[in-house]
Amino acid sequence: NLSDTLKKLKITAVDKTEDSLEGCLDCLLQALTQNNIETSEKIQASGILQLFASLLTPQSSCTAKVANIIAEVAKNEFMRTPCVDAGLISPLVQLLNSKDQEVLLQTGRALGNVCYDSHSLQSQLINMGVIPTLVTLLGVHCHNAALTEMCLVAFGNLAELESSKEQFASTNIAEELVKLFKKQVEHDKREMIFEVLAPLAENDAIKLQLVEAGLVECLLEIVQEKVDSDKEDDVAELKTASDLMVLLLLGDESMQKLFEGGKGNVFQRVLSWIPSNNHQLQLAGALAIANFARNDGNCIHMVDSGIVENLMALLDRHVEDGNVTVQHAALSALRNLAIPVVNKAKMLSAGVTETVLKFLKSEMPPVQFKLLGTLRMLIDAQAEAAEQLGKNVKLVERLVEWCEAKDHAGVMGESNRLLSALIRHSKSKDVIKAIVQSGGIKHLVTMATSEHVIMQNEALVALALIAALELGTAEKDLESAKLVQILHRLLADERSAPEIKYNSMVLTCALIGSGKRMVILTV
C-alpha cells in the first residue's frame, strides 16, 4: 500500500534506520515503475520531498535510491518546481563529487530531469560549478557507458546556454570528447557526441581546442568512410561531420591553423570535395573555401592556386535546376575571394562575371544576394569591367527589378549598390544611358535617403556623375524623383553626416552647371 509506505518512509527518514528505509524506497521505486504520474502526485501530497534533502548524503547506502526516486518523479513537469522548493538541487550537486558510480548516475539523472527545459535552473547549475565536475567525471568514468551517456546528455543541455561556454573553455572538454569520439563505432553514440560538439563549437576558443585535440582528422575520416554510402544513417553522419567541419572554420584562429599557408592536409582534402558528385560535400567544400577566404593573404594564395576555376566549374554544374544551397555557397566563396584588389583582374580574366551572370534568372533571394555582392566586389575600381557590365541591358533591367524587391531588403540594398557602382567605377555615358533607359534613376535617388551613410554616399556620388556627364538624358527622371527636394532636406538636416553634406553640395553644383569642371567626389 503506497500510503502506508509513504507514512513508514516519513518515520524511517527521521530515524534513518537503513534497512527499513531501503525497503520503503524499493517499494516507492516499484510504484513509480507501475504508475509514475499517480505515485508522483501522492509523493508530492505527502510532503516526503522535504525529507529527501537530508537523505542525500555520501555516507548513506540509500543515497542512490533516493536520487533515483527524484529522477523518476522529475520526469513529470508538475514535480520539478516542488523538487526545487524542497531544496534538492544543492545536495544533489554535492553528490557529483561521490566516488560511487551508481550514486553519480542517479544524481546526474535527477539533476537533468529536475532542470530539464529550464534555462534559469540550468544557469544555476553552471554557477554552482557543475561543468568542470562533469568534465572530470567523463574522463574518470569513460568506460562506464551509462555514466558517459549521462554526462553527454548534461553537456548537450548546458552547452545551449551562452553562459556555459566560458566554463567549458576552461576545462579539457575538447580533449575528452575527441578521445571518446575516436572510440565510438555506433551511429547513435557518435550522434550523441555530435549533439554536444555542435553548440560547443560555436565558441571560438573551443573551436581551436577541438582542432588541436584532433577532431578534424576524425571528421575527415567519417567523410571518407561515408561518402559513397546511401544508407540513411551514413548520409546523416556525413552531413553532420561536414557541417561541423565548416563550423570549426568560422573561428579565425582555428581557420588559420587548418589553412597552414594553403599547404595543409585539411585544406587540400576540403578542396577535393568541390568536384565531388555528392551535393553535401560540394556545399561543405564551397562553404569551407568561403571561410578560408576571410583574409587577403589566404584569398590571394587561393586565387593563384586555381580555386576560382574549380568554383566556376561547380557553378556550371548547377545552372539548370541546380542545388540552391551549393549555388549560394559557391557565390559566397567567389565574393570573398574577389575582395583583395590584386584578385579582381585575375578573376575577371578567368571569366567569373560570365559564370555569375548565368544565375541572373534565379528567383531565389539568397542566390540573388550573393550574385550581386560578387559582381560588386569584382568591378570595384575596375573601369573596363564596370563599363562592360553596365552596358549589359539584361543585367541592368534585372537590377532595376530587384531594386523594388521590398520583401527582400538584402537583395534590394545590394541591387541599388551595384547600380551605383556601375556608374561610379565606369564613369561611362553609355552606362548612364542604359540605366536611365531601364528606369534606374529613381532608385538611385531613393538610395540617397537610405538610413545607411555608406549607401547614401554611393548614391550621391553616382548621381553627381550622372549630372556631370549625362544630365540631359537623366534630367526628367531626376526631376520626377524629386531629387532637388531631397538634396534640400539632406543639406538642411543637422543630423546629416559631413560627407553626406559635402557630396550633396557636389551634386548641387553639378546640377546647376558647374559640374562640368573637374570635381573631386568622396565616398
Side-chain angles (χ1 to χ4, degrees):
N1 183 296
L2 183 56
S3 299
D4 290 345
T5 299
L6 288 168
K7 285 175 187 173
K8 189 176 179 185
L9 185 55
K10 275 190 176 182
I11 297 166
T12 53
V14 176
D15 296 345
K16 293 190 179 171
T17 311
E18 300 253 331
D19 290 345
S20 302
L21 189 57
E22 201 162 339
C24 291
L25 294 172
D26 284 337
C27 290
L28 213 48
L29 281 167
Q30 190 177 352
L32 284 164
T33 305
Q34 291 168 351
N35 192 328
N36 192 305
I37 295 176
E38 187 183 335
T39 305
S40 296
E41 286 171 342
K42 288 186 176 177
I43 288 172
Q44 183 186 8
S46 72
I48 198 76
L49 281 178
Q50 280 70 21
L51 297 174
F52 279 178
S54 64
L55 299 176
L56 293 169
T57 60
Q59 298 79 19
S60 172
S61 61
C62 299
T63 299
K65 288 180 180 176
V66 176
N68 191 355
I69 290 169
I70 297 168
E72 289 301 315
V73 300
K75 286 178 179 178
N76 305 297
E77 189 179 351
F78 70 88
M79 288 298 293
R80 290 170 194 156
T81 300
C83 285
V84 174
D85 293 343
L88 301 180
I89 298 268
S90 185
L92 284 169
V93 169
Q94 293 301 315
L95 286 175
L96 290 175
N97 296 305
S98 172
K99 300 286 188 287
D100 186 312
Q101 293 186 34
E102 183 61 20
V103 169
L104 288 170
L105 176 61
Q106 299 305 338
T107 298
R109 288 185 62 237
L111 283 170
N113 290 350
V114 171
C115 300
Y116 179 75
D117 210 23
S118 168
H119 285 174
S120 62
L121 288 176
Q122 289 167 0
S123 295
Q124 189 179 326
L125 291 183
I126 292 167
N127 293 335
M128 293 171 82
V130 299
I131 288 174
T133 305
L134 288 171
V135 173
T136 302
L137 287 181
L138 182 66
V140 172
H141 301 291
C142 57
H143 300 295
N144 183 321
L147 260 180
T148 297
E149 189 170 322
M150 180 273 287
C151 287
L152 290 174
V153 170
F155 292 149
N157 289 327
L158 296 175
E160 296 291 340
L161 276 71
E162 197 54 42
S163 59
S164 73
K165 303 293 199 296
E166 198 174 323
Q167 266 198 41
F168 273 118
S170 68
T171 70
N172 64 334
I173 184 71
E175 189 184 328
E176 293 295 352
L177 286 175
V178 173
K179 198 192 302 177
L180 188 64
F181 192 86
K182 286 176 179 175
K183 295 178 187 174
Q184 304 306 322
V185 289
E186 294 175 40
H187 170 76
D188 290 348
K189 296 286 169 55
R190 280 180 168 181
E191 196 65 31
M192 188 174 282
I193 300 172
F194 272 138
E195 285 174 9
V196 178
L197 288 169
L200 285 179
E202 291 170 6
N203 177 274
D204 284 356
I206 300 175
K207 279 186 183 77
L208 184 59
Q209 290 170 11
L210 289 168
V211 168
E212 290 174 339
L215 178 60
V216 172
E217 288 71 20
C218 298
L219 299 176
L220 290 173
E221 201 174 306
I222 288 173
V223 168
Q224 194 169 346
E225 282 174 11
K226 312 294 183 185
V227 66
D228 296 320
S229 173
D230 54 4
K231 290 181 185 173
E232 192 176 335
D233 282 354
D234 290 346
V235 171
E237 203 163 329
L238 174 74
K239 181 181 185 325
T240 306
S242 54
D243 284 349
L244 186 52
M245 180 81 193
V246 172
L247 184 56
L248 291 174
L249 293 173
L250 283 171
D252 289 338
E253 285 186 85
S254 54
M255 179 268 286
Q256 280 303 95
K257 188 171 182 66
L258 294 172
F259 189 66
E260 291 183 82
K263 295 174 184 173
N265 173 53
V266 173
F267 175 65
Q268 296 302 326
R269 290 277 290 278
V270 165
L271 273 188
S272 72
W273 295 353
I274 300 292
S276 161
N277 289 322
N278 184 299
H279 282 184
Q280 174 58 32
L281 281 194
Q282 292 172 1
L283 171 64
L287 288 174
I289 289 172
N291 286 337
F292 280 125
R294 290 209 315 279
N295 69 48
D296 284 4
N298 292 3
C299 288
I300 292 164
H301 175 88
M302 286 193 280
V303 168
D304 288 343
S305 64
I307 281 177
V308 168
E309 288 74 12
N310 291 345
L311 290 168
M312 288 165 60
L314 176 60
L315 280 169
D316 279 337
R317 293 167 69 182
H318 288 274
V319 174
E320 299 298 330
D321 301 320
N323 184 298
V324 172
T325 55
V326 174
Q327 293 171 0
H328 179 263
L331 289 168
S332 297
L334 286 173
R335 180 199 173 281
N336 288 0
L337 290 168
I339 292 173
V341 176
V342 295
N343 281 357
K344 298 180 193 297
K346 294 174 186 175
M347 291 177 71
L348 287 166
S349 62
V352 172
T353 50
E354 290 81 357
T355 298
V356 171
L357 286 172
K358 292 175 185 176
F359 295 90
L360 261 187
K361 58 187 178 182
S362 173
E363 295 300 329
M364 304 305 294
V367 174
Q368 296 167 356
F369 181 73
K370 289 299 177 183
L371 175 155
L372 293 164
T374 305
L375 292 177
R376 187 165 62 80
M377 287 300 158
L378 281 169
I379 65 166
D380 188 12
Q382 305 296 310
E384 190 179 332
E387 182 165 10
Q388 191 179 349
L389 281 178
K391 291 192 288 189
N392 182 326
V393 176
K394 283 186 180 176
L395 170 63
V396 174
E397 285 177 348
R398 195 69 160 134
L399 290 182
V400 171
E401 181 187 333
W402 286 340
C403 282
E404 295 172 0
K406 291 184 171 57
D407 291 340
H408 304 287
V411 172
M412 190 166 68
E414 276 293 339
S415 301
N416 278 292
R417 294 190 76 183
L418 182 53
L419 210 55
S420 160
L422 291 171
I423 296 169
R424 290 184 294 110
H425 298 304
S426 71
K427 298 180 177 63
S428 160
K429 292 186 175 186
D430 290 337
V431 171
I432 293 170
K433 285 175 184 174
I435 290 171
V436 171
Q437 287 164 9
S438 299
I441 296 299
K442 63 181 179 182
H443 297 299
L444 291 172
V445 175
T446 301
M447 185 180 167
T449 64
S450 168
E451 59 185 13
H452 303 291
V453 172
I454 191 167
M455 287 180 67
Q456 281 186 287
N457 268 330
E458 288 171 356
L460 289 168
V461 172
L463 289 166
L465 282 165
I466 290 169
L469 298 172
E470 201 62 37
L471 183 56
T473 306
E475 191 171 358
K476 284 183 181 175
D477 287 354
L478 292 171
E479 193 175 343
S480 63
K482 296 187 167 46
L483 174 61
V484 173
Q485 291 91 323
I486 286 169
L487 281 172
H488 184 273
R489 206 160 64 235
L490 289 174
L491 288 166
D493 192 343
E494 292 180 1
R495 294 168 299 177
S496 291
E499 58 268 37
I500 298 297
K501 291 199 173 185
Y502 177 85
N503 283 325
S504 295
M505 287 189 283
V506 169
L507 174 51
T508 302
C509 290
L511 289 171
I512 61 177
S514 62
K516 297 192 187 298
R517 294 197 296 272
M518 187 63 188
V519 177
I520 296 173
L521 303 171
T522 64
V523 179

